[in-house]
Structure formats: structure tokens, C-alpha cells
Amino acid sequence: MSALSALEDALENRWEALRARLFGREPVELVDALRRECDSHAVVCGAGRVMVPNAYDVELAGPVHDELSRHGAGVGQALTDRLARHAARHGYEWAGPLTVHVRRSAEVPGGRYRVASTVMPHVSADAFQRAGERTR
């Protein structure tokens, strides 16, 4: 095992342990909420083409956001990576570059999190159709 592989394994194990210690199952629930949001807004655009929103907003209750912020800024990237893998497994196409924005909100129902998705407003459906035709 190379030193780089050992470092990667150690970092992954520490990240998983941190998430489990902080929230128990909540990160899994948050990833599941992102997946459901993605799946529920999937649109069939043609034979074999399924488009999904590309901009996701995750609003966290104050205590949850504070705890995650104390342990680094990689939460948004980790959520983005998990959602990207989900979409790849289902053959989804993004309606533009994928982003997951994590922010604090005092208005989160239930005091945990809220997830919403949109297609970035500056990107038109016609542009996606043309982009899809160019990649074939």
C-alpha cells in the first residue's frame, strides 16, 4: 500500500467517523433527501435522455450548520460528490454545472434541514438541446 493510499484511507475513515459522531444517521438522511429531490424533478427529454436540476440548496438549522462549520468546509463538496455519483448510476444529465450550496437558516422546519433544487436561471432549455446534439 502506498503512502498516498494510506493517507486517503485514513482521511476517509476520519470523515466517516466525524459524520457518525456528529449526526448519527442525519448525513445519510440528508444525502437521501438530495437524491429524492433529484429523482422527483427528473424530466425525460428524449430517447434515453433524462435531465435533472443542477442547482441544489441545502438549508441547515443553526446548531447543525455550526457543528458542520466547526469541522471544515468540505460538506458542500461531499454532498455534491454523492449526488453526482447518484446521477451517474441512473444515467441522468445535469441541466448545467452541478452545485450544492449549504447555508444556515433560521426557518428550517423541524430544526434539521431543507433541500430544494432549481435549474440555474441563466441556462435555457434550448441551449441544453443544442449541447446534447453536439456531444453525439
Side-chain angles (χ1 to χ4, degrees), residues 18-116:
L18 173 65
R19 286 191 333 188
R21 192 170 62 234
L22 291 176
F23 300 107
R25 289 190 41 84
E26 189 157 293
V28 173
E29 292 174 16
L30 184 53
V31 170
D32 286 344
L34 279 166
R35 290 175 181 153
R36 281 190 307 273
E37 182 73 14
C38 179
D39 294 342
S40 68
H41 291 91
V43 176
V44 177
C45 295
R49 288 191 74 200
V50 180
M51 301 294 288
V52 292
N54 62 318
Y56 293 79
D57 291 313
V58 176
E59 296 177 78
L60 300 174
V64 176
H65 185 272
D66 292 346
E67 192 64 33
L68 287 175
S69 297
R70 255 196 300 267
H71 296 285
V75 175
Q77 185 60 52
L79 293 173
T80 301
D81 293 345
R82 300 282 293 271
L83 190 57
R85 285 195 300 269
H86 172 74
R89 281 192 301 273
H90 286 83
Y92 294 158
E93 294 180 43
W94 300 110
L98 173 61
T99 60
V100 177
H101 298 281
V102 178
R103 66 184 176 93
R104 173 183 249 235
S105 175
E107 300 174 9
V108 177
R112 294 176 29 197
Y113 58 84
R114 176 172 38 204
V115 175

